[in-house]
Every structure is written in C-alpha cells, then in structure tokens.
Amino acid sequence: MTRTDTLADLLDAAGLAGRGGAAFSTATKVRAAHAHGADLIVNACDGEIGAAKDGWVVEHHLPELVHGATLLAAGRRRGILFAAHRNSRTAGILRAAGLDVLEAPSRYVSSEESALVSLAHGRLARPMTKRVPVATGGRDSRGARIRPTLVLNAETVWRVAQIAERGPDWFRALGTPAEPGPRLVAVSGFVAAPQVLETQAGVPVRALLEAAGGLPPGSPAVLVGGLGGAFLSPDEAGRLHWSRESLGTVGAAVGPGVLVVLDPWTCPAEAVSQMLTYAAGESAGQCGPCMFGLPAVAREWDELVLRPSRAAEERVRRRLELLPDRGACRFPDGVARFTGSALRVFGSHLAVHAAGACGYTSRRSDPRVVVG
Amino acid sequence: MNEALWYASRAAGIASVVLLTAVVVLGTVVAGRRRPHDDTATVAMATHRWLSLATLAFIGAHVATAVGETYVSIDLISVLVPFTSSYATFWVGLGTVAVDLLVAVAVTSLLRHRIAERAWRAVHWATYALWGFAVVHGFALGTATEPLLRWTTVLCGVVGLGAVAWRANVTTHDRERRRILAHQEWS
C-alpha cells in the first residue's frame, strides 16, 4: 500500500534523523506512523544525564514545537501528548500553555519510547519488548494490543516545523552530508557557562566546550551522551569532531546531544562508580541483564577500583559482554558502552589509584553534582 | 483372604499418605529458583522423583485392594469417576479426584521432555490440591481405632501445610529484587 506522504517525503529530502539518541530516519518513522494512524507523543523528558536541550526547545520555541506536532499529527483529532518529567520546569511550561502533558516519573528508563507508550496506555512507565516498531502498534508482553504511537524527541519535532517552513535545502546547508541540519548540544558539568548550544554536525568538540567556557585544566574527561554514551580523554576532546564518524573512532556517538565535563578534583574512577550505582538503581526490574547485570557491573567496578588486577578488569569486561542485545530497551547496552569507555579512558588511572597515589582530592560527592 | 485385602488396603493407604507428603515436601524444596545448586540438588531431585514412583506403586496397591475387598462396595468405575461409590460417596470421591490428578501429574512428568515446560508446570501445581484431597480422604476414612494411624495422617497434614507455607513465604533474590523495583514510582 503506497500512499503519498508529502511530509515524510519532505523529511526524507531533508535527511532528518531523530535527535533523541538513536538517530533513526524520521521520515521512515513518520511514514509508518501515518500508514497506521498513530497517536503522537512529543518526548521532552531530557532523560539522559546532563540532557537539557528538549526543555530548552519547550522554553524558547514552543509555538514552533506545537506547529511541528500539528503537522505530524496530520489532522488527526486525538490529542497530542507532550511528555515531560513530573514536576519538572518543562512540564510546568507545557501545562501553562494548555497542552496535554504526559507526566513521566523521574526515572532513567521511563522516558524511553515504549515506556512512554506504556504510560500513555495507563500502565507503568517501563519499557516494553518491541516485536514491531511502536509506531505500527503491536502487543505488550501480556498480549494486550498497543495503539500505534509515534514517539519523537522534542528537538526532532521542532526541526520538522523548521523544515516545513524553510525547506530541505536550508536544512541540508547545515551540518555534514551524512548528518545534515542544525542540532542542539547541552554542555554542562564543570564549565564556566553551562548552556544549550545551537550548532551542527562536524564542528570540533573543542569549539563546543569553548563556547561554554572551555575545558578546565586538570579535568580528567568529558562524558558524551551520558549513561548511554562514552568518555573522551582531554586529548580526544581536543581533536575529535561532533559527528558520528569522528566520535565513532573512540566508541562515542552524537547521541542525545549531551556533553558533561568532569571536575578536576573528583577521582574519575569514583565518579564512574557513583554513576554505575545510580544506573543499577534505575532498572525497572524486568530483564535479567538489567536487574542483575547492572548491579553486578557496579559491584565489580568497585572491586576493580579498590583492588585493581588483570583478573578484576577481565571480570568487568566479561560482564559487559553479557549485557547488550538482551533487554526490552537499550539501557543495558548503553551502560556496557559507558563502562567500557571508562575502562579505556581511566584504565591507567586505576593502577595509580590502587597504589594510593590517586591525586584527586575528592573521593565521593553527589553524582548529580559531579555530572552536573 | 478378604480380611487380608482389607488390611492391605488400609496399610497401603496410610503408607501412600506418608510417601506423598514426603514427595510434596521435597517438591517445595526443589521447586523454583531457590533450589539448591550443589550436590544436594541432585540428591533432593532424585529422591523427589524416585519417591514419587514408589508413591504411585503404593497408591496403586491401595486402590486395587480397596476395589478387591468386599467389606464395602467400591466398584471399578469409582476408581476413575469421582463421587460414584455407594460407600462413603464423598470421602471416597475425594480419593478418586486425587488419583485422577495424580495420573495427570505422573503422565505429564513422564512426558516432561516432550511437552512444553509451561504445560508441565501448570499440571504439576495440581499436586498441592491432590495431596490435600488425599490427606482429608485418609483422615475421614481412617477406620482403624489405632490412634497412631490417625495421628500419622494429622502429622502428614501439618508437615505438608508447613512446607507449603514455607514455599509461599520464602523469598529469593530474584523475587525480592522484582518486588522492590515494582514498588518504586513507575507511573
């Protein structure tokens, strides 16, 4: 069944990819959604550690965001839902504007696509196993039917409105041929001026950091993409570019557009330990690699920090191999990537740390403070 | 001869209740994720299986002798169709239901590697019911005036209920973690 879908064709011409992290073709998703008469959820949760851009879109470009959502809903009369964390500033702005707000609990996995769909169905905000894309419907694990639901990141929806207004050529004039268009990056953590930057793919990571005040001397690393991302050493942050190709050389990705600068005093091994403890507590308790795997990784990482050895490192590595491709969502995959990059970037520090010559003055601090 | 059959039926009956209770208790131990994972697991599982076969033999003997003796009339149909016995219709019927369920449990267990785990498990749950029926049946029809026999049945009931209560309340790492996470804020 081929129907002409003008909006999807336009997005195809622009080459828009989702800004929520997976960078999947928005046109493909929209086409499937329209063919199935899908509902629309605009995801403005900013669920990743350090994420802020979707709240920024809501705060500064709400009329365009709503216009984009209206275009995507294609005249369907059912209400469009705007998802935001409960009691967040973003939820308040959306509500004040008279929009239907889907209030998600402030849990890491609750802002995942299928978790929001589950919540919109009156169930728990926990990820569902996706046998078919949620834009086409399908069934949950108990066999109950799921309404086809298009879930798009708020920045993505804003871009749709911009492309509709200014055309695909304007869009393609920015960024790189592989990753066209303007894009947002939230820079936070230990920088002089944390902010959401309007930028594009291909710019040096250093330029993004400098726009927020620069990488402070002594900062052990920059975290790209939060718990589902990877660390960059200061050297890598100085030479890599904000693109899939460049970041991919060290296992990082553009992801949901998040840069967090680690502070110069907190031991990075301890910072990772705190983030892994947080990750372990965020499991929805549905899938083995998550509910058992993440606490195991956190435990084994602590063990490695306390008593580093080839065997302890090997244990962590072997554990990480067990996490990917087995959960209802990609949370375990992300944490495996994150921990693997921590091993890569902080591996040499672990030996120093164990010898008692850590050098960082602060061992423990609140993870929210550490990571911004 | 008839008297011998009568005594044999009583004896096989009480032995069946004791054995069945032992099998159920072992079953609660080896069931689920909590089961022991070392050599004890092998021993407990093997004992559970072999003892259940012994139980089948004793129950077979109990049923055969009960039909064979003629002090009370229980015909062949009442072996499989519940509540058809002219003697103590209800209490004998409970025994019949227990036998029917036992046949289902035994057959699915023998075919365990050929049928779905889920189906086997669903049928295996019936063991708790059939054990309960068997104990009540034994207590109600235990005609001997010897208190030792009656108290044996009561003791079996207490021990079995204790095992069931333990299984229902004992927690596992898996169950505990799911419970804690499910109680957090998710909506």
Side-chain angles (χ1 to χ4, degrees):
Chain A
M1 184 179 72
T2 44
R3 263 188 305 176
T4 51
D5 189 329
T6 350
L7 183 63
D9 292 345
L10 189 68
L11 300 178
D12 241 347
L16 177 62
R19 299 286 199 249
F24 187 78
S25 157
T26 307
T28 304
K29 226 163 136 177
V30 167
R31 205 167 271 128
H34 285 174
H36 287 81
D39 296 347
L40 175 64
I41 296 177
V42 180
N43 188 355
C45 285
D46 282 325
E48 188 52 82
I49 284 186
K53 70 179 176 60
D54 298 315
W56 183 89
V57 171
V58 168
E59 193 171 343
H60 298 283
H61 298 278
L62 192 54
E64 280 175 289
L65 180 66
V66 174
H67 180 57
T70 315
L71 291 174
L72 286 160
R76 282 170 50 76
R77 299 181 63 192
R78 198 195 287 268
I80 302 159
L81 288 174
F82 290 81
H85 281 145
R86 179 164 302 130
N87 301 328
S88 64
R89 181 180 158 76
T90 308
I93 298 172
L94 290 166
R95 196 176 293 288
L99 298 163
D100 281 340
V101 182
L102 179 66
E103 293 207 342
S106 296
R107 303 299 303 256
Y108 185 85
V109 297
S110 288
S111 50
E112 188 264 352
E113 179 182 45
S114 63
L116 289 177
V117 173
S118 176
L119 184 66
H121 279 69
R123 299 173 207 164
L124 300 181
R126 306 203 284 189
M128 300 186 287
T129 299
K130 293 162 277 286
R131 293 177 183 84
V132 298
V134 290
T136 66
R139 290 174 184 279
D140 70 4
S141 56
R142 288 195 192 129
R145 205 174 278 282
I146 298 295
R147 288 193 303 275
T149 313
L150 174 63
V151 183
L152 287 175
N153 176 263
E155 185 194 342
T156 312
V157 175
W158 178 41
R159 300 299 176 205
V160 169
Q162 289 183 316
I163 291 167
E165 192 193 325
R166 308 178 196 189
D169 293 337
W170 164 80
F171 192 78
R172 283 208 179 264
L174 293 159
T176 65
E179 291 162 295
R183 57 182 70 228
L184 301 175
V185 177
V187 187
S188 65
F190 196 75
V191 283
Q195 60 187 284
V196 175
L197 298 167
E198 296 187 76
T199 179
Q200 53 187 306
V203 301
V205 171
R206 185 166 28 85
L208 298 175
L209 294 171
E210 275 164 8
L215 188 66
S219 169
V222 177
L223 176 57
V224 183
L227 277 180
F231 289 98
L232 304 184
S233 69
D235 167 60
E236 288 159 354
R239 67 180 164 79
L240 294 177
H241 292 260
W242 192 252
S243 73
R244 183 187 310 154
E245 195 189 7
S246 179
L247 291 173
T249 58
V250 296
V254 170
V258 186
L259 279 174
V260 177
V261 178
L262 300 198
D263 75 74
W265 306 290
T266 306
C267 168
E270 301 284 351
V272 169
S273 162
Q274 287 167 47
M275 286 188 252
L276 285 177
T277 304
Y278 166 73
E282 287 303 291
S283 173
Q286 301 187 118
C287 311
C290 186
M291 66 186 284
F292 297 124
L294 301 192
V297 168
R299 198 169 55 239
E300 284 163 1
W301 175 270
D302 284 351
E303 188 63 26
L304 176 64
V305 173
L306 218 57
R307 284 177 288 276
S309 67
R310 188 58 61 88
E313 188 178 329
E314 203 45 44
R315 258 201 303 282
V316 174
R317 282 191 199 286
R318 267 208 305 276
R319 182 73 63 179
L320 296 183
E321 286 171 12
L322 299 175
L323 301 189
D325 297 322
R326 294 173 59 210
C329 71
R330 293 286 174 187
F331 185 31
D333 307 53
V335 174
R337 187 165 47 238
F338 166 88
T339 314
S341 85
L343 279 177
R344 187 181 63 80
V345 175
F346 306 130
S348 57
H349 176 68
L350 287 172
V352 183
H353 184 96
C358 174
Y360 292 94
T361 50
S362 166
R363 279 284 168 107
R364 291 271 171 192
S365 56
D366 185 280
R368 298 299 181 131
V369 175
V370 175
V371 298
Chain B
M1 180 63 188
N2 202 20
E3 193 170 325
L5 284 177
W6 170 259
Y7 282 122
S9 186
R10 299 293 112 178
I14 194 78
S16 299
V17 168
V18 173
L19 283 170
L20 187 58
T21 303
V23 170
V24 166
V25 171
L26 278 168
T28 62
V29 173
V30 298
R33 285 173 179 270
R34 167 188 66 257
R35 66 172 168 266
H37 284 283
D38 48 5
D39 289 353
T40 349
T42 317
V43 174
M45 186 59 86
T47 315
H48 173 71
R49 289 180 178 175
W50 287 104
L51 216 51
S52 65
L53 283 182
T55 312
L56 288 180
F58 274 90
I59 290 174
H62 170 67
V63 171
T65 49
V67 172
E69 61 81 28
T70 52
Y71 279 132
V72 298
S73 110
I74 301 171
D75 53 26
L76 269 173
I77 291 180
S78 306
V79 172
L80 288 177
V81 185
F83 312 114
T84 53
S85 159
S86 53
Y87 165 70
T89 309
F90 182 72
W91 303 119
V92 171
L94 275 188
T96 308
V97 172
V99 166
D100 289 341
L101 290 175
L102 189 65
V103 169
V105 171
V107 169
T108 50
S109 287
L110 291 172
L111 294 176
R112 190 180 176 179
H113 56 297
R114 291 184 182 268
I115 62 175
E117 160 100 15
R118 230 168 240 249
W120 170 83
R121 186 176 298 278
V123 175
H124 225 70
W125 278 105
T127 314
Y128 289 117
L130 84 85
W131 169 81
F133 294 151
V135 170
V136 173
H137 162 92
F139 185 80
L141 294 180
T143 47
T145 46
E146 172 60 52
L148 187 64
L149 292 180
R150 182 146 286 206
W151 282 111
T152 302
T153 312
V154 171
L155 184 68
C156 282
V158 171
V159 169
L161 285 178
V164 171
W166 173 76
R167 184 181 175 182
N169 288 302
V170 76
T171 190
T172 64
H173 183 45
D174 187 327
R175 186 189 287 184
E176 191 59 17
R177 183 129 168 82
R178 276 183 208 280
R179 193 185 63 78
I180 290 170
L181 294 177
H183 276 75
Q184 296 170 349
E185 189 190 8
W186 286 110
S187 58

